[in-house]
């Protein structure tokens, strides 16, 4: 059995935005062979295992969503498009607020119960707040990796 919805944070979870948060970059962004760069040459790249993880979710027909509290939602949206992953996500909640709001919106938009969701994020406050809502929330220490993703799936399953 799989979660009905898997939700990912962006900064320091799916991508490394030039070793900072994407709202600290300096647009315009330009596409290069390595990926999008900002006007200071800082590269935004998905962590190595991310494409494989997203592909697996797609093959398993698991809905995917983004939950980001960035202060520059339009920049994040542009970068998601430039990285070619925009269409993979059924829901994109990208705005600065507590992630309780993001997940309230996700629940309302999808009709999916919170306990059928699995969430990955690199900030403990988000893990704590969203976990309290009944979502299985997994702390990401150094960007998404396959092992952590599989651990998250097991953790979710053990809570059902
Ligand atoms: Mg983050």
């Amino acid at each position: 059995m799989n979660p009905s919805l898997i939700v990912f944070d962006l900064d320091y979870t799916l991508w490394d935005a030039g070793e900072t948060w994407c709202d600290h970059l300096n647009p315009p962004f330009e596409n290069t062979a390595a990926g999008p760069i900002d006007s200071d040459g800082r590269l935004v790249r998905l962590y190595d295992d991310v494409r494989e993880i997203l592909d697996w979710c797609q093959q398993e027909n698991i809905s995917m969503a983004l939950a980001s509290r960035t202060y520059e939602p339009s920049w994040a949206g542009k970068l998601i498009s430039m990285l070619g992953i925009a269409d993979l996500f059924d829901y994109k909640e990208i705005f600065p607020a507590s992630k309780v709001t993001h997940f309230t919106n996700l629940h309302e938009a999808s009709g999916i119960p919170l306990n059928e969701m699995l969430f990955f994020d690199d900030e403990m406050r988000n893990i704590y707040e969203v976990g309290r809502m009944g979502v299985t929330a997994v702390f990401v220490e150094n960007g998404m990796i396959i092992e952590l993703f599989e651990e998250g799936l097991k953790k979710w399953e053990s809570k059902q």
Side-chain angles (χ1 to χ4, degrees), residues 9-13 15-27 29 36-39 42-45 68-80 83 94-95 123:
D9 168 51
L10 284 171
D11 289 323
Y12 294 105
T13 297
W15 68 36
D16 165 13
E19 295 180 354
T20 184
W21 295 270
C22 72
D23 54 14
H24 284 48
L25 295 173
N26 191 11
F29 302 111
I37 57 166
D38 77 351
S39 59
R42 287 179 290 194
L43 174 70
V44 180
R45 64 169 197 97
S68 163
R69 32 193 301 179
T70 183
Y71 286 94
E72 297 290 353
S74 67
W75 299 2
K78 175 84 184 158
L79 292 166
I80 292 159
L83 289 161
I94 302 178
F95 51 86
E123 288 189 45

Side-chain angles (χ1 to χ4, degrees), residues 5-111:
L5 181 70
I6 301 186
V7 187
F8 300 95
D9 168 51
L10 284 171
D11 289 323
Y12 294 105
T13 297
L14 287 189
W15 68 36
D16 165 13
E19 295 180 354
T20 184
W21 295 270
C22 72
D23 54 14
H24 284 48
L25 295 173
N26 191 11
F29 302 111
E30 189 192 324
N31 236 334
T32 71
I37 57 166
D38 77 351
S39 59
D40 297 325
R42 287 179 290 194
L43 174 70
V44 180
R45 64 169 197 97
L46 297 174
Y47 290 107
D48 291 343
D49 292 355
V50 165
R51 285 188 196 274
E52 194 179 333
I53 290 166
L54 301 180
D55 283 351
W56 184 87
C57 294
Q58 205 178 22
Q59 281 161 23
E60 293 285 316
N61 279 317
I62 303 171
S63 293
M64 287 183 274
L66 295 170
S68 163
R69 32 193 301 179
T70 183
Y71 286 94
E72 297 290 353
S74 67
W75 299 2
K78 175 84 184 158
L79 292 166
I80 292 159
S81 297
M82 291 175 86
L83 289 161
I85 59 170
D87 295 342
L88 296 177
F89 301 98
D90 298 294
Y91 311 96
K92 300 182 189 81
E93 296 293 332
I94 302 178
F95 51 86
S98 160
K99 286 204 181 173
V100 170
T101 310
H102 298 67
F103 277 81
T104 302
N105 292 353
L106 284 172
H107 171 60
E108 278 172 10
S110 67

